[in-house]
Amino acid sequence: MKILVPVKRVVDYNVKVRVKSDGTGVDIANVKMSMNPFDEIAVEEAVRLKEKGFATEVIAVSCGVTQCQETLRTAMAIGADRAILVETTEELQPLAVAKLLKALVDKEQPGLIILGKQAIDDDCNQTGQMLAALADLPQATFASKVEVVDGKAQVTREIDGGLEILSISMPAVITTDLRLNEPRYVTLPNIMKAKKKQLDTYKPEDLGVDVSPRITTLKVSEPPKRSAGIKVPDVATLVDKLKNVSKVIS
């Protein structure tokens, strides 16, 4: 069984992002980029499933600019066997990425697709669900535990009321939550080995996919500065402030 793991190149989670002066987006010039943390968890889970003998090959996939090769090399250093880059300079929105992944699913015929539940840059939380719909595959989102039992994927997911366990037939799409696992530390020898692993490159047109944006960003702005809190002497004063100043209660 093959496992396909889409990974996204995003601004590193330790970096404080800055909005461009013209309000058209986030400034990523000379900013450290890294793999989306949720996708890193997905790669780790795929590699663990391979180590347990449930998979024969882990394929990392990324869509975007040439520099996404670095993200794919990181995935291969974690343990992915090979990688595919769909190279484009177009702005890629979730539907376009889902269509590209659908084309690769048709091409590679994986038994499982594991990806992060969302990216930390746009927080869309859409690609996995859209891919499942386009490919007509069962899906389990926000996975906190994944097991393969009797040829089916048994997925534990966190819901408002506690935990929900789903048993889904494969091939299937699974999106990962933070508590699924803790990715391994990437060692220097594995980084060197990753440089020799296969990395294939396609263009969207090679896959017959139109990636034209469907949504236009009108403006990006920073959230308003939070004002300092105040201390109140008693509950009556607190209720008065909430009612007459903040107007959050009536």
Side-chain angles (χ1 to χ4, degrees):
M1 180 179 77
K2 295 179 184 177
I3 302 179
L4 196 71
V5 189
V7 296
K8 186 176 183 181
R9 178 177 181 262
V10 299
V11 175
D12 189 87
Y13 66 91
N14 287 313
V15 173
K16 178 175 172 54
V17 295
R18 301 183 185 279
V19 175
K20 291 179 180 177
S21 57
D22 59 4
T24 57
V26 173
D27 188 3
I28 60 171
N30 302 314
V31 169
K32 181 183 177 184
M33 307 291 283
S34 61
M35 188 190 301
N36 178 45
F38 290 100
D39 295 338
E40 192 174 1
I41 291 169
V43 176
E44 174 66 27
E45 192 65 23
V47 173
R48 290 187 187 187
L49 288 172
K50 183 190 172 188
E51 290 171 345
K52 291 176 183 176
F54 296 122
T56 55
E57 187 178 32
V58 176
I59 308 164
V61 179
S62 192
C63 306
V65 295
T66 306
Q67 291 88 332
C68 290
Q69 289 186 22
E70 301 167 13
T71 309
L72 290 170
R73 294 293 179 195
T74 301
M76 289 190 284
I78 293 172
D81 298 290
R82 61 185 172 95
I84 299 172
L85 170 63
V86 182
E87 189 175 352
T88 177
T89 55
E90 288 272 0
E91 177 198 351
L92 291 177
Q93 294 172 353
L95 180 58
V97 176
K99 287 180 177 179
L100 292 170
L101 295 177
K102 162 67 165 60
L104 291 174
V105 166
D106 292 342
K107 184 180 180 65
E108 295 289 342
Q109 295 293 306
L112 208 54
I113 303 101
I114 307 179
L115 66 161
K117 69 172 184 177
Q118 66 195 80
I120 62 171
D121 52 0
D122 56 21
D123 274 334
C124 281
N125 180 20
Q126 295 176 344
T127 305
Q129 292 89 326
M130 287 179 169
L131 171 60
L134 290 171
D136 195 24
L137 295 175
Q139 62 176 307
T141 57
F142 313 147
S144 59
K145 185 177 181 182
V146 176
E147 295 177 305
V148 177
V149 181
D150 298 329
K152 291 189 175 184
Q154 188 168 291
V155 180
T156 303
R157 57 192 304 269
E158 298 182 3
I159 59 175
D160 291 341
L163 298 176
E164 179 182 53
I165 299 176
L166 301 177
S167 179
I168 55 176
S169 58
M170 297 188 289
V173 177
I174 296 174
T175 70
T176 62
D177 210 343
L178 278 176
R179 280 166 288 281
L180 179 58
N181 62 51
E182 185 173 337
R184 67 194 67 188
Y185 177 76
V186 179
T187 62
L188 183 59
N190 286 336
I191 292 173
M192 300 307 292
K193 288 177 186 175
K195 292 182 179 179
K196 298 179 181 178
K197 290 184 179 180
Q198 179 182 346
L199 196 162
D200 299 318
T201 302
Y202 297 97
K203 299 286 187 184
E205 49 267 30
D206 298 334
L207 301 172
V209 177
D210 176 18
V211 296
S212 302
R214 263 68 173 179
I215 301 170
T216 302
T217 301
L218 300 180
K219 185 181 179 182
V220 177
S221 58
E222 291 190 17
K225 300 289 184 188
R226 292 183 64 179
S227 56
I230 60 170
K231 288 184 178 181
V232 293
D234 50 46
V235 175
T237 309
L238 173 61
V239 172
D240 179 65
K241 294 283 187 186
L242 293 175
K243 185 175 182 180
N244 300 314
V245 179
S246 301
K247 300 187 186 301
V248 294
I249 61 174
S250 56

